[in-house]
Amino acid sequence: MTLFELKFLEPAKDYASPFPHDPEGFTDTWWIPDIETAYYDALGGTKLIQFLVDHVEVGRAKITDWRLSAAYIGINSEINTKQIWFFEIHRNARRKGYGTEFAKQLTNIYPDIPLIAFSENADDFWSRIGWIHYPQKDGDKHCRKLFISKTVSS
C-alpha cells in the first residue's frame, strides 16, 4: 500500500529555503529564494509543504492566507481562502496521479476553507481534478485563470 504524507517545513534561518536543492527535479527559482524573495510571512499563514510518497519527496507547495476579491463571476463579496502560490511535482514523478493526490491531501487539511490557484499553464490540470474556474467579471483574458477547490458563493 502506498503511503502519502504531507510535511510542513520551516526555514532554519532567514533567506534559506527549507526545501532541499534539486535542480533536476524542481524549479529551483520557486523553492530556493534569493534576498528579494525570502520566505517572509507578509501575507500571513504561509505554509511550505512537502508531499511525500513512501517517504520520498514527490511534490512541493507554498500556500498563504488570501482574501479573494469579488472580481470574479459568481463571487459578490470578498472570501477568505488559502492561495496556492506554487505547486509542483518532481519531474520524474509527473503524469502518475501524484498531482491529483497532492491537491486532494491539501483540500483535506483545509476542509472548511476554499483553496485557490491562479493557473500558470496548468488549466487542464486544475479542471481535470475538479476545481472550478471562476472567470473575471471584466472579461480580461490576459490574467492567469482562477481555479477554486470547491464551489463558493457570497
Side-chain angles (χ1 to χ4, degrees):
M1 185 167 138
T2 304
L3 174 66
F4 298 116
E5 178 184 4
L6 296 180
K7 185 176 180 183
F8 291 80
L9 304 178
E10 293 288 332
K13 59 183 181 177
D14 287 346
Y15 309 111
S17 173
F19 292 106
H21 180 67
D22 185 355
E24 301 303 315
F26 293 98
T27 307
D28 267 358
T29 55
W30 290 4
W31 309 111
I32 309 299
D34 59 27
I35 199 157
E36 301 298 321
T37 59
Y39 287 115
Y40 179 68
D41 195 16
L43 299 172
T46 298
K47 302 292 180 201
L48 303 171
I49 306 167
Q50 272 184 320
F51 177 56
L52 307 171
V53 178
D54 294 329
H55 307 290
V56 175
E57 182 186 37
V58 171
R60 297 174 176 181
K62 178 181 178 181
I63 298 176
T64 64
D65 295 337
W66 189 258
R67 190 124 173 101
L68 183 65
S69 76
Y72 301 90
I73 295 171
I75 301 174
N76 298 317
S77 62
E78 291 186 343
I79 298 172
N80 290 325
T81 69
K82 295 281 187 185
Q83 180 176 344
I84 299 173
W85 288 85
F86 297 110
F87 181 93
E88 187 174 23
I89 299 299
H90 191 282
R91 283 179 185 85
N92 296 335
R94 293 179 186 165
R95 305 237 177 249
K96 298 179 181 178
Y98 294 130
T100 302
E101 183 62 34
F102 190 11
K104 177 181 166 189
Q105 295 282 327
L106 293 174
T107 59
N108 287 345
I109 61 170
Y110 299 110
D112 299 325
I113 190 160
L115 273 65
I116 67 170
F118 290 96
S119 180
E120 196 165 310
N121 301 318
D123 300 359
D124 291 342
F125 169 75
W126 296 113
S127 293
R128 189 176 70 252
I129 67 170
W131 287 36
I132 300 124
H133 172 231
Y134 284 81
Q136 288 191 305
K137 289 178 181 174
D138 66 8
D140 188 345
K141 304 277 190 226
H142 295 82
C143 293
R144 294 180 296 155
K145 291 181 181 176
L146 170 66
F147 287 86
I148 304 182
S149 60
K150 57 184 168 185
T151 303
V152 295
S153 61
S154 56

